[in-house]
Amino acid sequence: MSSSGMIERAVINAGPLVALSLLEKLDVLPALFTEFWIPAPVYTEVVTAGLGRPGAMDLSAPQWRAHIRQAPDPDPLLVAELDPGEASVIALARTLLPCLAIIDERRGRRIAQQIYGLPVRGTAGLLVEARRRGFVGELRPMLYQLKAAGYFLADSVIDAACQAAEAPH
């Protein structure tokens, strides 16, 4: 654990990868985590399904491909409830404890936390941590940029994130 108390290992889902890529902030991942993994189905979703969309080109670079990892087969519950990317994030994170699951979708986060007891962060939470450690500049413009790109971010979430980022720790 680092001095800030954030877990050093993470598994990341497609949504946050694309968001960071849109902001040209993928480099916060190696800055924040000693180890981070992209489950193979998530990588496929972003790079193959998202061909030509933000994130696809950035993530096809070798330094990101090195972080792809096969996930174990997810529980039937996960397969039934979540998309393959989220299911693989949770399945992989469970084998790497202590490990953070980086998921934006509310349902995926709830299942990760309540059923599997995993710590969860979303894109906004990652950016807050990156801001606190001085890896990124002002948060508000970045969060509004994501919102403009079609990410669902309530203004209350943006306000809370900006406050958290500037709070003394």
Side-chain angles (χ1 to χ4, degrees):
M1 296 279 274
S2 66
S3 55
S4 77
M6 195 158 89
I7 294 166
E8 297 283 316
R9 191 186 295 135
V11 178
I12 186 164
N13 194 32
L17 276 174
V18 174
L20 291 173
S21 180
L22 260 169
L23 295 171
E24 297 179 1
K25 296 288 182 227
L26 279 169
D27 55 356
V28 304
L29 293 171
L32 289 175
F33 301 106
T34 315
E35 226 186 278
F36 66 92
W37 300 103
I38 303 167
V42 168
Y43 188 83
T44 305
E45 186 183 328
V46 176
V47 175
T48 317
L51 207 61
R53 298 221 326 263
M57 225 171 70
D58 293 346
L59 278 166
S60 58
Q63 81 257 36
W64 305 111
R65 277 208 301 269
H67 291 275
I68 302 171
R69 191 152 168 171
Q70 289 301 326
D73 288 337
D75 292 352
L77 166 89
L78 288 174
V79 175
E81 291 289 331
L82 301 175
D83 74 32
E86 289 164 0
S88 67
V89 167
I90 293 171
L92 182 53
R94 290 178 65 206
T95 67
L96 296 171
L97 299 172
C99 186
L100 198 60
I102 304 173
I103 300 174
D104 279 336
E105 296 76 12
R106 192 172 285 151
R107 186 188 185 96
R109 292 168 68 121
R110 200 172 61 231
I111 289 175
Q113 281 174 313
Q114 292 177 359
I115 296 176
Y116 297 101
L118 289 168
V120 178
R121 281 275 207 307
T123 303
L126 279 191
L127 290 171
V128 165
E129 187 68 27
R131 171 73 180 144
R132 283 181 156 180
R133 297 203 209 169
F135 300 140
V136 298
E138 283 295 314
L139 226 48
R140 199 172 292 272
M142 288 188 275
L143 294 171
Y144 278 117
Q145 191 183 336
L146 288 178
K147 195 173 175 164
Y151 272 73
F152 177 74
L153 282 166
D155 287 331
S156 58
V157 169
I158 292 178
D159 290 338
C162 293
Q163 273 176 333
E166 306 307 331
H169 10 296

